[in-house]
Amino acid sequence: QVQLQESGPGLVKPSQTLSLTCTVSGGSITTGSYYWSWIRQPPGKGLEWIGSIAYSGSTDYSPSLRSRASISRDTSKNQFTLHLRDVTPEDTAVYYCATGPTLGTVQSGASNEIIWGQGIQVTVSS
């Protein structure tokens, strides 16, 4: 069974780069047809898809975050990493790594086909 675990800092200063890593167990990020994704939920708001890296290594990003977000992977460690540049307090959220069988599935955030990490609280504050 595939399991995902987020890791990274819980506090980031404004204008810095937020980097979060997702470690995957029970399955490979380079096989199958899954989309390995980052999704966040700001306080009091709904889920927001940030971006995905496919099993092939191709990436897709939310238009609103494309200029600041990038997702990379380390296949030797079975990990994928989110980098979000130039953060502001509006980037404060619980960040989840997740995976699903199609890009549309993970973008919706609402399918029972999505496998989620437990989430990590990130606060942007000086």
Side-chain angles (χ1 to χ4, degrees):
Q1 182 178 357
V2 174
Q3 294 183 316
L4 299 90
Q5 178 68 58
E6 304 90 348
S7 60
L11 180 64
V12 183
K13 296 183 184 301
S15 81
Q16 291 187 338
T17 295
L18 165 65
S19 296
L20 296 173
T21 295
C22 184
T23 300
V24 179
S25 59
S28 172
I29 63 173
T30 61
T31 60
S33 59
Y34 276 69
Y35 289 80
W36 306 92
S37 307
W38 288 98
I39 298 169
R40 69 182 183 180
Q41 185 166 28
K45 297 184 179 180
L47 294 170
E48 177 183 23
W49 172 73
I50 300 170
S52 301
I53 184 165
Y55 59 99
S56 62
S58 64
T59 53
D60 292 273
Y61 300 102
S62 165
S64 65
L65 293 168
R66 181 177 292 125
S67 64
R68 297 193 294 126
S70 64
I71 299 174
S72 60
R73 66 182 185 175
D74 185 335
T75 57
S76 68
K77 296 181 179 179
N78 214 34
Q79 296 174 332
F80 61 102
T81 297
L82 168 69
H83 299 288
L84 186 64
R85 297 176 291 276
D86 196 22
V87 297
T88 72
E90 285 66 43
D91 293 308
T92 294
V94 178
Y95 286 73
Y96 298 92
C97 59
T99 190
T102 70
L103 187 58
T105 299
V106 293
Q107 287 174 326
S108 75
S111 171
N112 59 13
E113 295 183 289
I114 298 174
I115 302 171
W116 297 88
Q118 66 180 25
I120 182 170
Q121 172 69 48
V122 176
T123 300
V124 179
S125 174
S126 56

